C-alpha cells in the first residue's frame, strides 16, 4: 500500500529524528532470528492496513473540517445547522465504517496470538527497525488526523448546539475504533507507541495518544511490563 497522498504521509527529517526505539540507548536484543522475522512481518502487515485506512479516511477528515470551517465563517444569521449536519454526518459514518474494518483486520493480524503472547511475557529492548518506523509513521498520521479532527470538531461545534447534539455521538463513535486500533498495535508491538508518541510530541499532539492509552487501560498494562516510562504515563 502506498502512503497517504498528502504532506502528512511524507517522512521529513524532523519525523526521522523522532524515530528513536524503546531501546535506543542500548543494542540489547535477545529475540531469536525467527522472532525478529515474525515481528517485522507483523509490523509490515499492520502498516499496510493502517496506510490503506489513512488513504481513505484522511480525505474525509479534511472534508469534515472544511464543512465546519465554512459554516463557522458565515454570519450568524446565515448559519444553517441542519445543513451542517447533513454534510458532516455521512462523512463521519463512512469514516467510522472504514476504521471499524481496519480494527477488525488489526485484531486478526496475529493469528494464533504468537507475537502478542510473547509480548505479554517478555519485553525486548532493541533499536527501532525500519518496519516499526513505518508502522509508527502510519499510526501517527491516523491519530493526528482522526483523533485531532475529533477533538477539533468537538470544540468547534460548541458554537452549533443543535449540530453538536446530532454529531457529537458520531464523533464519539468514530473515536472508538481508533482507540481499539491503537490498543491492538500496542499489545502486539508495544515499542511502536513510543515512536508514535515521539512523533506527535514534536507536533505538540502527544496528549492525543496519552488520552487514548488511558482510555484503553494500556497505561496500567504497560506499567506492569515496565513500559510506562516510554510514554511518560508513569504516575
Amino acid at each position: 500500500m502506498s502512503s497517504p497522498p498528502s504532506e502528512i504521509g511524507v517522512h521529513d527529517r524532523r519525523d526521522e529524528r523522532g524515530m528513536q526505539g524503546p531501546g535506543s540507548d542500548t543494542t540489547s536484543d535477545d529475540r531469536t532470528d525467527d522472532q525478529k522475522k515474525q515481528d517485522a512481518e507483523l509490523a509490515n502487515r499492520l502498516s499496510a492496513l493502517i496506510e490503506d485506512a489513512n488513504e481513505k479516511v484522511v480525505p474525509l477528515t479534511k472534508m469534515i473540517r472544511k464543512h465546519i470551517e465554512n459554516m463557522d465563517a458565515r454570519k450568524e444569521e446565515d448559519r444553517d445547522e441542519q445543513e451542517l449536519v447533513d454534510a458532516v454526518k455521512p462523512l463521519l459514518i463512512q469514516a467510522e465504517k472504514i476504521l471499524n474494518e481496519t480494527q477488525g483486520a488489526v485484531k486478526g493480524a496475529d493469528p494464533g496470538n504468537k507475537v502478542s503472547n510473547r509480548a505479554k511475557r517478555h519485553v525486548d529492548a532493541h533499536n527501532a527497525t525500519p518496519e516499526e518506523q513505518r508502522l509508527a509513521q502510519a499510526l501517527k498520521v491516523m491519530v493526528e488526523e482522526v483523533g485531532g479532527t475529533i477533538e477539533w470538531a468537538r470544540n468547534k461545534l460548541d458554537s452549533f448546539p443543535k449540530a453538536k447534539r446530532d454529531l457529537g455521538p458520531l464523533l464519539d463513535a468514530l473515536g472508538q475504533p481508533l482507540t481499539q486500533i491503537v490498543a491492538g498495535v500496542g499489545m502486539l508491538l508495544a515499542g511502536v507507541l513510543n515512536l508514535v508518541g515521539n512523533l506527535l510530541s514534536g507536533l505538540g499532539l502527544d496528549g492525543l495518544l496519552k488520552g487514548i492509552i488511558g482510555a484503553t487501560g494500556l497505561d496500567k498494562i504497560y506499567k506492569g511490563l515496565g513500559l510506562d516510562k516510554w510514554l511518560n504515563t508513569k504516575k
Side-chain angles (χ1 to χ4, degrees):
M1 296 293 177
S2 59
S3 295
S6 68
E7 69 278 1
I8 57 174
V10 178
H11 285 259
D12 58 28
R13 293 300 174 189
R14 177 190 59 200
D15 283 353
E16 289 175 359
R17 286 197 298 270
M19 289 291 193
Q20 298 299 315
S24 57
D25 58 349
T26 177
T27 56
S28 172
D29 186 352
D30 56 4
R31 293 176 299 168
T32 66
D33 288 343
D34 186 55
Q35 287 172 340
K36 291 177 184 178
K37 182 180 178 182
Q38 284 182 9
D39 286 355
E41 290 174 348
L42 177 60
N44 279 331
R45 285 199 300 274
L46 293 172
S47 294
L49 291 171
I50 294 172
E51 286 166 357
D52 183 53
N54 285 340
E55 288 183 359
K56 299 171 183 174
V57 169
V58 169
L60 297 177
T61 62
K62 292 187 180 302
M63 290 169 67
I64 289 166
R65 286 177 180 257
K66 191 68 175 175
H67 282 303
I68 295 174
E69 286 172 347
N70 288 345
M71 189 63 68
D72 191 48
R74 291 187 188 180
K75 294 180 180 179
E76 192 162 348
E77 60 269 23
D78 294 332
R79 292 177 177 177
D80 185 335
E81 295 197 41
Q82 188 58 49
E83 178 186 333
L84 181 60
V85 170
D86 291 343
V88 172
K89 183 176 180 178
L91 299 175
L92 289 172
I93 292 172
Q94 187 178 353
E96 183 195 355
K97 180 181 178 183
I98 292 167
L99 290 195
N100 275 326
E101 291 171 352
T102 303
Q103 186 265 326
V106 167
K107 194 172 181 180
D110 180 28
N113 295 319
K114 291 180 181 178
V115 176
S116 58
N117 286 340
R118 176 165 58 81
K120 292 172 187 175
R121 291 195 307 269
H122 180 68
V123 178
D124 300 301
H126 62 276
N127 291 326
T129 65
E131 294 84 6
E132 289 170 338
Q133 291 177 5
R134 175 190 172 195
L135 176 55
Q137 178 67 19
L139 198 57
K140 169 253 185 185
V141 170
M142 181 173 283
V143 172
E144 178 185 2
E145 288 297 313
V146 179
T149 295
I150 290 170
E151 292 303 311
W152 177 88
R154 281 191 183 124
N155 291 332
K156 279 290 186 180
L157 288 175
D158 284 340
S159 301
F160 304 95
K162 293 180 182 178
K164 186 166 187 174
R165 186 173 61 243
D166 289 338
L167 298 177
L170 295 176
L171 289 168
D172 293 340
L174 179 58
Q176 291 175 10
L178 173 64
T179 298
Q180 293 305 314
I181 289 168
V182 171
V185 172
M187 287 308 298
L188 293 172
L189 297 168
V192 169
L193 294 193
N194 181 54
L195 302 180
V196 177
N198 288 344
L199 291 174
L200 290 171
S201 180
L203 300 171
L205 297 174
D206 52 321
L208 283 173
L209 183 63
K210 291 177 183 178
I212 290 172
I213 290 171
T216 60
L218 272 178
D219 53 341
K220 296 180 179 63
I221 295 171
Y222 277 19
K223 187 173 183 179
L225 293 172
L227 302 181
D228 51 321
K229 60 184 178 295
W230 290 1
L231 294 156
N232 298 316
T233 57
K234 194 170 185 177
K235 304 296 185 213

